[in-house]
Amino acid sequence: MRKKYTNLALDSASLLFGRSKFPLIRNGVTIGGGAVIPEIKFTLPPMDVEEESMAAVTEIYDEIIVGVCKRAVELHQNPLVVEFELLPEMTMNPGWGETITGKIRSVLDDFRKRDGLQSLLRITPVDIRESQKPPHRQDGKEADLLFDSFRRCARAGGDLLSIESTGGKEVTDPSIMSADLRGIIFGTLLGCADMEFLWGRICTIARETSTVAAGDTACGIGNTAMVLADQGYVPKVFAAVVRAVTGVRSLVAYEAGAVGPGKDCGYENAFLKAITGYPMSMEGKSAACAHFSSVGNIAGVYADLWSNESVQHIKLLSGMAPVVSMEQLIYDCRLFNVAIQKGFGLNFRDMLVDSDARLDPQAFILKPDVVVELSKSIVSDTDDYIRSVRTAKKAIGILEEGARSGEMLLPEREAGWLERLKTAVEELPSSGEEFFKEEHDRWQEVVDFSQYGFSVFEKGTAV
């Protein structure tokens, strides 16, 4: 049952790394209780993942987890969070993901017993439902395998359950490439409907396996727009507005029962922390091994876990890349935590903000005061369409004022796009029902609407 938020848990003065209103405590690890903890992620080097290679695959994961735990012990880091992101083959074959989860869990338990290294393991099956076109979101073999993967990995030793769900991507992918705000909002509504279904099931699995339903991310929408904007393919103001709107979608996981920590690649976690008060994982400058961004410092403002995103197990001059990332995260977290301990948390927070916010609209919308204003728009109604439109309008208005006041640098080309986005949002209809009628025919060849249900199109408050 989805329980919708209508108020914020935190104000701008309370938004600080390492501190959440509702910390998560499990197996000797506290997340969001006064310190930032590193969350290390890793993946295989280029290789085939198949039955014949599974012994080699498992051996590589064993080597990775031993290496990162050993470096954590050497650098006096305690505790630690590890994320195992399953590859598509490991989710399509749930036994493979289960085996690797068990191997990682065994190594973590060995380091806990021998060295006192406290740790939690996040498991993230990949959303394999995209393999059907149009995707089968709620039924079919892929959905069954996905939920089986969650159960098996949870029982094999996972602590935190997460996913980068892809509901609505059949609409948002082409909409991003054409900077189509209407398409983004329509895809967001589909994503909300999908997440309500998906997270109802994940939360049930978490209860059955005594694990934690952690959180989702709109990585496939927000980060796709962010990376394309960084490469000059789409406007940065468009990517900034997209990011704000993704908060509506990702919030559904918490309204369905997730309790954090939110997953690292959701930069919209800034809004979700303000709304829910739950701890969040974030990534920034130390995630450059996975992708570039313009929010390398400011993202750290909201971090209860600080992640490297993901890195392949390849050899660098100093050592293997996951171990290198482990060291970088540890030193980042030391600085966060000393700032808190010495009473300079807010000062350091403001330095992180000021170093990024003026230079890019995607950073500007992550300022704590802006995050609060956008979060208020998200919870200003319980209807997902109204939430999306109001949040888009608010984000555009904030970016306009930032450019007008000189608080934010905005090239002339970007300013022109901001006007186009403003016109697009003002032309949106006042109700979700009307919007659905207008958009249905445009997307019926790529969307199987029966796989999304009807809750997303319920009549709500007019904009």
Side-chain angles (χ1 to χ4, degrees):
M1 183 69 179
R2 184 176 169 190
K3 194 173 181 180
K4 297 189 178 182
Y5 284 89
T6 56
N7 294 291
L8 305 190
L10 298 170
D11 58 20
S12 60
S14 304
L15 284 170
L16 182 65
F17 48 82
R19 291 180 179 169
S20 61
K21 187 173 183 178
F22 305 109
L24 176 72
I25 303 172
R26 182 180 172 90
N27 292 345
V29 178
T30 299
I31 302 174
V36 182
I37 300 170
E39 180 172 22
I40 186 70
K41 289 172 59 177
F42 38 75
T43 192
L44 297 172
M47 65 182 296
D48 293 329
V49 179
E50 53 194 9
E51 186 72 49
E52 293 74 16
S53 65
M54 278 309 297
V57 166
T58 305
E59 185 177 340
I60 291 172
Y61 277 104
D62 180 75
E63 180 181 325
I64 294 171
I65 192 63
V66 168
V68 299
C69 287
K70 184 173 181 289
R71 194 61 185 148
V73 170
E74 291 168 348
L75 292 179
H76 310 285
Q77 174 59 46
N78 199 359
L80 170 68
V81 175
V82 173
E83 180 175 6
F84 168 41
E85 281 191 333
L86 283 71
L87 297 174
E89 299 88 346
M90 299 168 188
T91 308
M92 290 293 293
N93 298 274
W96 298 358
E98 178 183 22
T99 296
I100 298 167
T101 300
K103 169 57 70 175
I104 295 172
R105 176 82 274 163
S106 176
V107 173
L108 292 175
D109 288 345
D110 287 345
F111 273 88
R112 182 185 289 263
K113 292 173 186 175
R114 186 179 65 247
D115 300 290
L117 178 60
Q118 307 295 312
S119 61
L120 294 178
L121 174 58
R122 188 197 298 265
I123 59 101
T124 306
V126 69
D127 195 344
I128 55 175
R129 299 173 299 163
E130 287 290 302
S131 56
Q132 293 278 351
K133 301 297 180 186
H136 278 222
R137 299 292 177 188
Q138 298 188 6
D139 58 41
K141 181 181 74 172
E142 288 78 15
D144 291 342
L145 288 170
L146 176 63
F147 295 124
D148 189 30
S149 183
F150 269 111
R151 288 190 186 90
R152 287 179 178 236
C153 289
R155 289 171 179 153
D159 293 293
L160 313 173
L161 309 185
S162 286
I163 189 171
E164 295 178 13
S165 66
T166 58
K169 263 179 71 66
E170 57 267 49
V171 170
T172 59
D173 277 353
S175 298
I176 289 170
M177 292 307 300
S178 57
D180 175 7
L181 186 57
R182 287 182 69 99
I184 292 297
I185 291 177
F186 193 69
T188 296
L189 299 182
L190 295 176
C192 288
D194 179 59
M195 284 186 60
E196 189 168 344
F197 160 77
L198 182 65
W199 277 91
R201 298 288 296 273
I202 295 172
C203 289
T204 297
I205 292 169
R207 288 190 295 271
E208 292 171 351
T209 57
S210 299
T211 52
V212 178
D216 207 317
T217 163
C219 176
I221 305 171
N223 285 12
T224 299
M226 178 181 72
V227 170
L228 290 175
D230 184 75
Q231 295 172 352
Y233 290 112
V234 301
K236 291 186 174 183
V237 289
F238 172 72
V241 175
V242 169
R243 178 67 68 192
V245 173
T246 62
V248 176
R249 180 188 189 279
S250 294
L251 179 61
V252 177
Y254 303 93
E255 294 185 327
V259 297
K263 189 164 155 43
D264 62 313
C265 48
Y267 292 87
E268 68 273 14
N269 284 347
F271 314 125
L272 305 184
K273 186 169 184 175
I275 293 168
T276 68
Y278 289 132
M280 296 292 153
S281 184
M282 299 294 292
E283 61 186 36
K285 64 185 180 66
S286 296
C289 54
H291 62 70
F292 298 129
S293 79
S294 301
V295 294
N297 284 329
I298 197 169
V301 168
Y302 309 97
D304 300 296
L305 298 176
W306 186 236
S307 172
N308 64 316
E309 218 300 333
S310 192
V311 65
Q312 288 183 315
H313 188 58
I314 57 176
K315 183 71 168 68
L316 304 179
L317 286 176
S318 57
M320 301 307 288
V323 180
V324 173
S325 282
M326 183 77 266
E327 175 165 316
Q328 291 173 327
L329 293 176
I330 288 170
Y331 280 108
D332 288 345
C333 289
R334 283 187 189 179
L335 189 55
F336 282 127
N337 294 333
V338 167
I340 292 173
Q341 292 159 11
K342 292 186 174 293
F344 295 119
L346 288 175
N347 300 84
F348 187 46
R349 182 196 79 168
D350 292 344
M351 292 178 189
L352 295 171
V353 171
D354 292 345
S355 67
D356 284 351
R358 185 170 180 268
L359 302 177
D360 194 288
Q362 298 169 94
F364 193 79
I365 64 163
L366 293 183
K367 293 175 58 183
D369 58 329
V370 173
V371 163
V372 166
E373 289 305 306
L374 290 171
S375 299
K376 287 178 180 177
S377 292
I378 292 172
V379 299
S380 65
D381 199 274
T382 58
D383 178 85
D384 292 324
Y385 175 70
I386 306 304
R387 284 176 165 183
S388 300
V389 175
R390 287 180 180 172
T391 302
K393 283 183 176 179
K394 176 62 75 171
I396 292 166
I398 286 170
L399 293 174
E400 281 186 316
E401 179 55 32
R404 187 182 306 116
S405 66
E407 289 185 76
M408 179 186 72
L409 295 177
L410 194 69
E412 186 175 340
R413 176 177 175 274
E414 292 278 339
W417 269 103
L418 198 53
E419 282 299 317
R420 292 171 67 173
L421 292 172
K422 184 177 181 180
T423 299
V425 79
E426 288 174 348
E427 291 175 348
L428 291 168
S430 62
S431 75
E433 285 184 328
E434 185 180 352
F435 183 61
F436 173 63
K437 290 176 183 176
E438 292 181 2
E439 292 294 303
H440 177 275
D441 290 350
R442 180 157 75 117
W443 301 108
Q444 60 181 339
E445 291 187 7
V446 297
V447 177
D448 182 347
F449 289 104
S450 69
Q451 292 293 313
Y452 286 99
F454 301 99
S455 62
V456 74
F457 309 119
E458 290 173 355
K459 187 175 181 180
T461 310
V463 179

